[in-house]
Amino acid sequence: GHLHTFRVWASRDGVLSAVATTINGTPLEPPGVIIISDLHSDSLVLSWATVEAAEVYRVEQKLAEDEPSMYAVVADNLHTTHYRAHGLTSGQTYHFRICSGACGAYETRGLVTTATPLETVANLRVSALTKSSVTLEWDAPAGAAKYRIEYKPLDSEEDFVSLVTLERTFFELKNLAPGIPHTFRVLAGLPNDVFELRGASINASPLELPEPVRVKTIEATWCELSWTMVPAATSYKIEKRLLHEEEFSLVSSSVKGTEYKVSGLATGGQYLIRVKSGIDGMFQDDGCIVQVSAVAPVTQLVVKDLNHTSARVIWRPAPGATAYQIVSTTEDGSHEPSEFQISGDVSSFLVPKMESGLEHRIRVYSGCMITDSLDSSIRFEQNGASVVVVPLLPPATLTAIPVASGIRLKWDPVKGANCYSVEMRHQKADTFQ
């Protein structure tokens, strides 16, 4: 660090030359510490401390696997203590040597450091989403040894806040408030905690479950669902599977509202249907599941037995049905509807408490057990089958009047009847004709 003047004479047989040659020189230390900063995919900045008495600096560079003799000068006669190395290959490790100089010469030892220019992390994605956590995953760029996770509220003007530094390519952020979106940034770095500056960013938010999910309607090949709107959710995903299957299949991942008609169900099939809330195409891992059966409507409904206060109806069993609802109403609306429910493998029902002489419409709906977010209950399809019946009293005051060619029968009109059937048998016969 001190300037010295050196003088050299030539001599022969102990006799010095009359004139000496003079030169100045300064013994120099190499730089003490080299700092790597401003890391990019093809460049980085080297900085070092000022060396006492040094006038200039020289930067040399080689690949890490090359021999020491392969150092090449990339910058000479530098009057500053920093230098940006350009034209580097991302993921390739380099050795840099900084030599201090003065009086037109450089010290030869120099200070060596190792650095690797880095690409940003690739394919940053949300791999799991719950109502209180977000899991990030990414692909490691060549040469990266560490990663720094930063975050800030979405659209905030504030700087990113560092969360954690780690050495793996995934991280679960826990205890987040649902419905509040954040921007997360991942920076790739070197073993000495130098990180590239751009990073990769992604927006994400923990989301509440879309509960409760309700089954509004079931039919033979479809059902209609409704659910509660989730704050911050931009879309919903619907999935389904048969009860005996292992994996859910996608129905739709672009549902914008809070109602959806799930079609393509097999009549009689038992299904699990799952609703997930999502944001910007990323959906939570879990979701709300309902269990439904696609139930066919009743067919071939007919009246089997009819008397003055009741009627028995029979029908063809409906695929998928485990219960039936029978509704009896008067066509003129003069009486309150009567409702009945029966469960099991049944296909007939005696409808009681009917008024003689009035037209009644009997409707039969097929149903099954539905389990949604609120409860398990029997739900019935909305189409059903119907038949109109009129309970009738028998004719009263039947009178037989002999006439020349036979017997004339006479009776009082029966309320509601529009025709009559007359049968006869001989006193000794067993059956009427």
Side-chain angles (χ1 to χ4, degrees), residues 7 80 166 271 284 322 377:
R7 189 164 58 183
T80 61
L166 41 84
Y271 287 87
Q284 55 193 177
T322 58
S377 60

Side-chain angles (χ1 to χ4, degrees), residues 129-389:
L129 194 64
T130 71
K131 63 181 181 180
S132 63
S133 69
V134 172
T135 300
L136 303 178
E137 287 189 12
W138 56 90
D139 296 339
K146 292 183 178 181
Y147 305 93
R148 186 166 69 204
I149 313 299
E150 302 176 337
Y151 84 110
K152 69 175 183 177
L154 182 65
D155 299 328
S156 172
E157 298 297 329
E158 301 174 3
D159 292 334
F160 279 94
V161 176
S162 179
L163 281 173
V164 67
T165 298
L166 41 84
E167 297 180 356
R168 60 180 185 269
T169 57
F170 64 91
F171 183 66
E172 182 182 9
L173 299 101
K174 300 180 179 179
N175 301 320
L176 300 176
I180 301 178
H182 287 77
T183 299
F184 299 96
R185 184 167 69 177
V186 179
L187 305 174
L190 301 177
N192 58 356
D193 290 333
V194 176
F195 294 89
E196 51 91 16
L197 299 180
R198 288 183 300 160
S201 299
I202 193 170
N203 298 330
S205 171
L207 294 174
E208 293 282 2
L209 295 174
E211 55 187 359
V213 177
R214 295 286 290 170
V215 180
K216 294 180 62 179
T217 308
I218 58 167
E219 294 296 340
T221 59
W222 59 272
C223 69
E224 187 174 10
L225 307 178
S226 67
W227 55 89
T228 302
M229 182 184 70
V230 175
T234 58
S235 60
Y236 301 90
K237 177 188 283 189
I238 313 297
E239 301 170 319
K240 70 176 181 179
R241 71 173 175 88
L242 286 167
L243 203 57
H244 65 271
E245 294 177 339
E246 296 293 333
E247 299 294 331
F248 281 92
S249 60
L250 178 64
V251 176
S252 177
S253 60
S254 57
V255 179
K256 299 300 182 183
T258 57
E259 294 184 353
Y260 190 76
K261 179 179 177 180
V262 182
S263 57
L265 305 182
T267 301
Q270 291 184 312
Y271 287 87
L272 296 178
I273 301 177
R274 183 165 62 187
V275 182
K276 296 181 176 182
S277 52
I279 180 171
D280 297 333
M282 298 169 290
F283 297 91
Q284 55 193 177
D285 277 5
D286 41 14
C288 292
I289 295 178
V290 297
Q291 180 176 334
V292 302
S293 293
V295 60
V298 167
T299 58
Q300 301 180 12
L301 178 65
V302 296
V303 178
K304 177 68 173 178
D305 300 312
L306 182 66
N307 61 40
H308 63 287
T309 58
S310 65
R312 179 175 294 278
V313 288
I314 62 173
W315 58 86
R316 184 177 181 179
T322 58
Y324 296 92
Q325 182 184 49
I326 297 92
V327 180
S328 175
T329 59
T330 54
E331 289 289 81
D332 61 4
S334 59
H335 292 65
E336 290 293 324
S338 299
E339 294 187 8
F340 311 92
Q341 288 187 16
I342 54 175
S343 299
D345 186 17
V346 293
S347 58
S348 69
F349 183 75
L350 181 65
V351 182
K353 300 179 181 179
M354 305 177 73
E355 183 167 338
S356 175
L358 287 182
E359 284 191 350
H360 291 71
R361 182 173 294 274
I362 300 174
R363 294 179 175 86
V364 180
Y365 302 95
S366 55
C368 59
M369 183 65 70
I370 300 295
T371 302
D372 58 22
S373 298
L374 296 181
D375 57 21
S376 294
S377 60
I378 295 176
R379 311 283 178 85
F380 297 94
E381 49 85 26
Q382 302 299 306
N383 292 324
S386 68
V387 63
V388 176
V389 299

